[in-house]
Amino acid sequence: MGKKILKEVKDIIIFAVIVVVSVVVIQSYALASTKVQQHSMETTLMENDFLFAEKISYIFTDPEVGDIIVFLQERPEGFWGNPIGICIEDTLGKFKRDDPRMRYVKRVIGLSGDNVDIKDGKVFVNGEQLEESYTKGMTDARNIKFPLVVPEGQLFVLGDNREYSCDSRNFGCIDKDNIEGKVVFRLWPLNKMRAF
């Protein structure tokens, strides 16, 4: 009887380890979940919306103008900067109720090599005005001198709520390596559930 109980406990422990490892691998390399913390993407996304971002497509393709992405403000060197290290630190942070990394949710506006300009409250990419029915408020230039050419390996991003968004107008272009994924689904609130 004792051996049977020990075998069952061992099986439960092995199963739990497999589940934890699977979740870490999926969270690190396939899907990420995030919660919108600010008002910068209104009215497309609202504060406290719960989102899923997929990580696989950007392994094979580059982001496109219009994609909504989740990215890290900065990525540390070494183990804590790779996907598994980030996942472990995030998980530990949830137990401490502490978000160890600053994440942003923004829309891709300019790709590497693109010429981006902001004038008269409008955004121009390579001389063409963007049709942006999703924006809220006027787009001002802020701290960046325009026009600018997006450097190789970087992206120019803006929040949809232009007057209240901290974005590339404040901190400049972002490194593609800091992207965590492309927002593909809003799970919460349930009455606004949708795919992007």
Side-chain angles (χ1 to χ4, degrees):
M1 188 74 169
K3 286 184 179 180
K4 185 177 181 185
I5 290 173
L6 282 175
K7 184 183 180 325
E8 285 183 19
V9 168
K10 180 181 162 191
D11 289 346
I12 289 170
I13 291 170
I14 290 170
F15 177 75
V17 168
I18 290 170
V19 168
V20 168
V21 169
S22 299
V23 167
V24 167
V25 169
I26 290 169
Q27 179 81 8
S28 299
Y29 293 103
L31 277 177
S33 59
T34 193
K35 184 170 143 184
V36 177
Q37 303 285 352
Q38 304 290 331
H39 303 282
S40 68
M41 284 298 291
E42 289 179 0
T43 58
T44 307
L45 301 171
M46 307 299 282
E47 188 174 19
N48 296 320
D49 281 2
F50 189 77
L51 311 172
F52 281 112
E54 61 89 7
K55 300 181 173 192
I56 296 172
S57 65
Y58 289 158
I59 294 171
F60 305 105
T61 63
D62 286 329
E64 296 179 4
V65 171
D67 287 356
I68 300 173
I69 60 171
V70 178
F71 62 94
L72 294 169
Q73 183 179 26
E74 55 186 53
R75 183 180 292 273
E77 300 293 322
F79 175 76
W80 297 110
N82 76 44
I84 290 181
I86 290 169
C87 181
I88 290 170
E89 190 174 38
D90 287 347
T91 303
L92 294 173
K94 285 182 176 132
F95 289 110
K96 296 185 291 185
R97 297 189 180 278
D98 177 32
D99 191 357
R101 301 184 193 280
M102 180 65 179
R103 286 178 170 81
Y104 290 95
V105 179
K106 304 292 175 194
R107 189 180 297 272
V108 176
I109 298 297
L111 308 176
S112 298
D114 282 348
N115 184 304
V116 178
D117 198 4
I118 293 177
K119 52 188 175 187
D120 301 324
K122 308 259 189 285
V123 179
F124 297 81
V125 177
N126 300 324
E128 298 286 324
Q129 181 183 333
L130 292 184
E131 295 298 324
E132 299 185 292
S133 59
Y134 46 78
T135 60
K136 178 179 177 183
M138 291 292 291
T139 308
D140 62 341
R142 303 236 179 108
N143 304 332
I144 304 294
K145 187 176 182 331
F146 290 96
L148 68 81
V149 176
V150 180
E152 189 62 36
Q154 297 190 350
L155 301 170
F156 186 87
V157 296
L158 295 174
D160 289 356
N161 190 0
R162 295 292 163 79
E163 293 174 13
Y164 295 95
S165 175
C166 179
D167 49 40
S168 286
R169 296 169 296 166
N170 303 88
F171 47 69
C173 296
I174 66 157
D175 289 333
K176 287 182 188 176
D177 291 343
N178 289 358
I179 297 174
E180 290 213 306
K182 175 182 176 181
V183 173
V184 291
F185 195 77
R186 173 169 48 207
L187 181 63
W188 186 265
L190 292 177
N191 64 333
K192 292 186 177 177
M193 188 185 297
R194 67 167 277 207
F196 289 94

